Amino acid sequence: MNTDSKNVSNSASKEDNDEIDLMALLFAILRGWKTIVFFAVLGLIVGILYSRYVNPTFRSDALIQIEENSKGVAALGADISELIGSQASKAEAEAELIRSRMILEPVVNLLHLRIRLSDPNISTIDKIKNNSTDTQINKPEGVSLETEDGKVEVSQFNVSQDYLNQPFILTRSATGFVLSNGFDDFKGQIGKVHQFRGTDGQIQITVNDLPADGYPINITKQSLQTTTEQINTELSVVEKGKQTGIIQLSMTGANQQQTSLILKQIVLSYIDQNESRGSEETTKTISFMETQIPTLKKKLEDSEAIFNEFRKKYGTIDVSKEAELLLTESSQIDVQLNELKLKKADLTTYYTEEHPLVTQINEQLEVLNTRKQDIDDTIVGLPEIQREFLQLSADSTINREIYLTLVKNYEQLKIVKAGQIGFARIIDLPINNFKAIAPKKLLIIILAMLLGSMLGTMLVLLKNMLRNVVKDPERLEAKTGVPVVATVPRSPLLTRLRRSNKKAPNRLLAYVDNNSLSYEAIKSLRTNLMFGMPAQGRAGQRAKVILITGESPGVGKSFISSNLTEVFAQLDKKVLIMDADMRLGELHKMFSMSQDNGLGDYLSQDKTHLSKDNAHVSKIVANQEDYLASFIHPTGIDNIDFMPRGQHPRNPASLLANGSFDHLMKELNLHYDYIIIDSPPILAASDAMILSQYADKVLMVARYDKSIEGQVVYAVNQMNKANIKVDGIILNDVQQGLLSKYSYHYSYAYGNNN
């Protein structure tokens, strides 16, 4: 064969192995369908219970628009707009602001969200049974909770710092209520405000209603931080789209009306704060003006009173043209000075003296004051009465102008403030739709079933990997080096009989299912053994001895031994079947006989009375035959005798090795054509190694899909170490079907099926 053909052959062989492995994996999963179905059903049950255990969850939504600028001030004119700074905000920043304690704290206080009520009498079974449980309702009037024995209403519950987040138990008493934290009991009357002093501080509570006497209610006062964190876990604030300025608020909760109410108050709290922030500068300016108007009004009234008194005393005085010009200029300077002083006072509300705008106004004031001083010096030369007249007239005029200007601006700012609405507006307030968004019961059930199925599949595969059971005869032969001489299928009829009556004795296939594949496989095994054994037994003896054992209990060696005995008896051969498992042998149940007077009893008897003197050989032989006959029992089946296990001795292995068994086998060889020995499992006892010395054939039984390959290999190795050859392996209880990859090892039933 050339190199190319070798490579093609190796590649094809590798593909076949891969296909076999994948097929084996698939068949392993299909064979474990019961486990997978069990976990799928278990997942279904868990999913149903969980979907009923969890309270329904509802959601409420609201929309807020964030505008770039407030346009209310600009609409009144440029002069007023200069007094108010422009406002701008981004939706992302506002979304974070909504989640802050500044916005949430007023809502928490209004709805008493820090008070938590719960019913400890509701168990898990109650939640599953009722499908949903009542939750507390928070309103401005207080907190309430419905229970099976009545309603809880608490309108006030304030505690000191050390009592925060600590649970209290509230119960109705004959005189009112009892509030307990496990250390202190506080008693009060329903409907009245009570203030208690406990170990850790003050407690103030008002209880309006409670369930029946003795029904406990858990009540807790949470800290503000804990409450706002809980709200934020249920609150979602995101910008809808990109750069839209639309903020979507969503909140989830166990009660639709409660959730909508809380979200509505959050929206209103934010809008109130936004409007207050938008008119903050206007409010400060109005406040400043309100403090200056009375002062200016008083100053105007004083100046007018002095001027009127002067005129009453001296009458009207004519002033020259020059004096009038100076007076006019001085009046204008005074007006400018007062306007600059007013503007400076407004600026210093927000800026320091070092600000450029303030510095510029100071320079202008200095120039005007210098000019005013020059005019005053000029006017000094005028006659005293004229000068005084001019001075009083100017003071009155200036004060009147300043006062009227300030009152005008004050009224205008009040109009501006009334028109300012902030840069956020409500688009949609939350509404109640009473449509639960969770739990999605169908989805939960499907996912639970899938997870259960996946878990079952993983367990099947894990079991298949960790517990490599016997399934493939070729693989078993390759592992052990021992040929599989027979594969015995499971008898469906016998299996049904055993399941229908577990206490019924085991039965031979010849009398239960003689047309089955199982029975034909036993006959095939007989044929194999007939042609595989010499014409005579060991050392020219008459009997041919077949030892049947297994690697572990429960592989069906007694089933194989008894049925193999029956098919050998059909050849008109004298057959003895011996139950050599003196510990747990149950071969007597196959023949519906007693276990008494068997091998264990024979080996345990004292035989010292049997002399070895040649003079008495004939007498000894006669005595020995009579003695042995008491431990061998007819089965009622032609050509078959049975030697049960007898009573359980203390040292079975020692009894087999002390020579008595050797003497027994010599006697039995004289009377039987076949002796079939059912021995204990190899890995459970060493009896099989001792018994193998007397056997012409040593057969090991392994059970399909139960015996572990490693144990079978180890058992064969243990026999080989004792210089005992295992002549063949019988694969018992092989199950045929579509899920079995090795069903081609079955024989075909050929005969009468009537």
Side-chain angles (χ1 to χ4, degrees), residues 23-43:
M23 291 295 293
L25 187 64
L26 177 61
F27 284 132
I29 294 174
L30 294 177
R31 280 192 298 271
W33 69 270
K34 292 182 180 179
T35 301
I36 297 174
V37 169
F38 170 77
F39 278 95
V41 173
L42 182 62

Side-chain angles (χ1 to χ4, degrees), residues 107-272:
V107 180
V108 171
N109 295 334
L110 175 66
L111 299 180
H112 310 282
L113 296 179
R114 294 174 63 184
I115 302 176
R116 307 300 300 176
L117 300 176
S118 63
D119 188 353
N121 299 287
I122 298 178
S123 63
T124 302
I125 302 299
D126 294 331
K127 291 182 178 180
I128 296 174
K129 180 180 178 181
N130 298 328
N131 199 13
S132 63
T133 55
D134 292 321
T135 57
Q136 71 177 46
I137 302 298
N138 294 74
K139 295 181 179 179
E141 298 80 14
V143 185
S144 62
L145 175 65
E146 291 286 348
T147 69
E148 61 179 9
D149 281 358
K151 187 176 183 181
V152 186
E153 288 185 0
V154 178
S155 58
Q156 180 183 219
F157 184 50
N158 299 317
V159 298
S160 60
Q161 183 69 29
D162 293 335
Y163 280 128
L164 290 177
N165 299 319
Q166 289 188 15
F168 288 81
I169 298 177
L170 191 62
T171 55
R172 180 186 284 271
S173 64
T175 58
F177 68 87
V178 177
L179 181 68
S180 174
N181 63 348
F183 300 98
D184 299 320
D185 292 337
F186 307 103
K187 298 180 180 180
Q189 295 181 355
I190 293 178
K192 294 185 178 181
V193 179
H194 292 278
Q195 187 164 350
F196 307 108
R197 182 169 186 82
T199 306
D200 296 330
Q202 297 285 338
I203 299 174
Q204 189 176 18
I205 187 171
T206 302
V207 180
N208 298 324
D209 196 5
L210 280 175
D213 293 351
Y215 195 94
I217 295 296
N218 292 338
I219 181 170
T220 305
K221 180 74 172 186
Q222 292 182 336
S223 63
L224 178 62
Q225 180 71 24
T226 302
T227 305
T228 54
E229 287 177 356
Q230 288 181 352
I231 294 176
N232 278 318
T233 58
E234 300 171 348
L235 178 65
S236 172
V237 185
V238 294
E239 184 176 8
K240 197 171 184 179
K242 293 183 178 180
Q243 303 298 326
T244 60
I246 304 295
I247 296 179
Q248 183 177 26
L249 293 85
S250 299
M251 191 169 188
T252 59
N255 185 286
Q256 178 70 81
Q257 293 179 331
Q258 179 74 23
T259 303
S260 298
L261 177 61
I262 295 175
L263 184 59
K264 177 182 178 181
Q265 293 301 325
I266 291 174
V267 172
L268 296 179
S269 176
Y270 168 72
I271 294 299
D272 289 342

